[in-house]
Amino acid sequence: MNFKELGLRAEMAEMCRRIGFSEPTPIQKQAIPVILEGGDVIGTAETGTGKTGAFLLPIIQKVGENYRPGTTVLVLAPTRELALQIETECRKFSPKGITCTALIGGTGYGKQTQALKKGVNILIATPGRLIDFMEQGMVNLKGLTTLVLDEADRMLDMGFLPAIKRIVKACPEKRQTLFFSATLAGEIEYIAQQFVKDPTYVEVARRGTAAVTIEQKAYPVAHQFKVPLLLDLLSKEDFDRVLIFTRTKRGADRIAHILEKQEHNSNKIHGDRSQSQREAALASFKKGKTRVLVATDVAARGIDIDAVSHVINYDVPEAPEDYVHR
Ligand code: AMP
């Protein structure tokens, strides 16, 4: 099945080919036709499965077909990094004339305010900053046709449920809602049901399984030997782009400091670093300029980086889902 057979117009299918999407991923095959028809979706899919394209491609086509000025689509995401990543994909997929902007915290209001004043068709936002703008009367969701909740499980973990409820209340009752989550475990499915109507379930990969392409190794090691083992692993040549996860921000700082002293080409991202520091560290890692990136789960959630050769769980993840994400 190619993109055209899923219902995308020739121009959209051609754009996919141009940017290197030779065929749809499984989640795209399942979700695109349903979304084009206007149905609600509950999707279980991880980052890395092409889920952003699965919702953005049909949404952008529909925005173009029924073009109206103002905001008709809102995508909510848990972290600034994920919101920026969705914005980048959205710009890549959008034809001229369809505008999108990320409203995220940790950065000034100036540019985001300017964009809102000009009018934005597709808003991608973290809940906190969106509510700030709603309180200032800068965002009007009355004309919304489509709402996407991306990585909903993490938004709930981060305590965003009250904010999400408030945002959803400001959206029209009659709308299309797409709810994506890495898992539907626990109360998430129940919560999802409050936002969607008669949803189609789309799912890729069994819940809680790591991708089959990943080789996994465990090293039982006493606490005092963790740093020496880490340094030993990093001395191997095939460890060419390495993501290291620690449980705490302090742990990330400590490991980053040790690596710096050992003259490893490394950087760190966690919640206490400024937005610009986090973005610079990620950009440099993505480009391959930084070899080792030390991160906490929240900061790295949903980040999709090509060509990571190794992920090191320096601390055992707290939840099984975190292991899968890492
Ligand atoms: P996502 O799961 O949305 O974060 O996507 C993971 C990566 O896969 C991103 O870099 C996308 O640009 C890329 N991608 C998405 N769909 C396709 C496709 N059909 N073919 C090739 N790459 C894709």
Side-chain angles (χ1 to χ4, degrees):
M1 264 233 175
N2 60 34
F3 284 104
K4 233 169 129 184
E5 285 163 335
L6 296 177
L8 290 183
R9 286 169 170 267
E11 314 86 81
M12 281 302 265
E14 168 57 21
M15 179 277 302
C16 289
R17 196 197 53 77
R18 224 176 27 243
I19 63 172
F21 292 8
S22 51
E23 62 165 324
T25 65
I27 188 85
Q28 291 166 357
K29 285 183 191 158
Q30 293 179 52
I32 290 174
V34 181
I35 299 174
L36 284 174
E37 278 186 13
D40 282 7
V41 165
I42 294 184
T44 329
E46 313 274 344
T47 287
T49 55
K51 78 171 154 65
T52 316
F55 64 78
L56 282 181
L57 291 167
I59 284 177
I60 291 168
Q61 170 158 316
K62 293 208 307 180
V63 170
E65 284 171 348
N66 312 300
Y67 188 80
R68 277 196 278 125
T71 300
T72 53
V73 178
L74 170 65
V75 181
L76 285 178
T79 62
R80 302 156 188 177
E81 282 80 5
L82 182 62
L84 289 175
Q85 208 165 278
I86 298 169
E87 184 195 24
T88 306
E89 291 265 289
C90 195
R91 284 192 202 285
K92 213 161 61 178
F93 299 153
S94 294
K96 261 211 170 93
I98 295 181
T99 52
C100 65
T101 284
L103 303 180
I104 54 168
T107 172
Y109 283 78
K111 269 195 187 157
Q112 296 171 19
T113 307
Q114 264 175 17
L116 285 173
K117 280 188 178 155
K118 271 202 217 152
V120 180
N121 303 125
I122 303 176
L123 274 184
I124 300 138
T126 49
R129 177 60 64 103
L130 179 63
I131 286 193
D132 283 354
F133 276 116
M134 284 165 63
E135 282 174 352
Q136 294 170 35
M138 295 285 306
V139 171
N140 181 353
L141 300 176
K142 291 255 155 35
L144 208 78
T145 57
T146 311
L147 171 68
V148 182
L149 300 163
D150 196 15
E151 301 216 340
D153 51 337
R154 181 49 59 128
M155 290 203 277
L156 300 178
D157 283 353
M158 291 167 79
F160 283 138
L161 185 58
I164 293 172
K165 283 189 170 161
R166 208 171 139 193
I167 293 164
V168 172
K169 250 194 171 158
C171 300
E173 276 267 313
K174 196 169 163 293
R175 58 164 199 269
Q176 180 177 32
T177 307
L178 314 174
F179 185 102
F180 285 91
S181 175
T183 153
L184 288 182
E187 57 175 3
I188 295 174
E189 186 162 5
Y190 169 75
I191 290 171
Q193 294 295 347
Q194 303 176 5
F195 300 119
V196 297
K197 285 197 187 106
D198 193 17
T200 299
Y201 283 79
V202 298
E203 181 172 14
V204 289
R206 209 152 43 78
R207 292 169 205 166
T209 45
V212 288
T213 48
I214 296 172
E215 189 187 338
Q216 304 175 61
K217 283 186 186 171
Y219 297 87
V221 62
H223 184 75
Q224 69 270 30
F225 297 127
K226 279 171 86 172
V227 168
L229 174 61
L230 176 69
L231 295 175
D232 187 54
L233 288 171
L234 289 179
S235 70
K236 295 185 197 302
E237 267 183 17
D238 61 334
F239 279 58
D240 55 27
R241 203 173 303 177
V242 186
L243 198 47
I244 301 177
F245 282 96
T246 60
R247 193 171 54 81
T248 62
K249 298 172 208 168
R250 270 182 53 203
D253 278 334
R254 191 174 82 87
I255 298 298
H257 181 70
I258 292 168
L259 295 182
E260 219 168 274
K261 272 184 129 176
Q262 298 281 328
E263 301 195 341
H264 278 286
N265 173 6
S266 62
N267 210 327
K268 58 187 174 180
I269 53 169
H270 59 62
D272 284 349
R273 304 212 81 203
S274 72
Q275 185 59 23
S276 58
Q277 284 172 326
R278 284 159 69 163
E279 277 169 35
L282 260 182
S284 165
F285 185 65
K286 277 190 176 178
K287 282 190 199 136
K289 286 188 185 159
T290 301
R291 175 174 166 244
V292 183
L293 186 65
V294 188
T296 54
D297 284 302
V298 169
R301 173 76 178 207
I303 298 302
D304 174 59
I305 300 167
D306 282 341
V308 168
S309 67
H310 294 80
V311 172
I312 297 180
N313 292 279
Y314 187 84
D315 295 314
V316 172
E318 297 210 348
E321 301 90 82
D322 289 337
Y323 178 78
V324 176
H325 280 283
R326 288 175 176 188

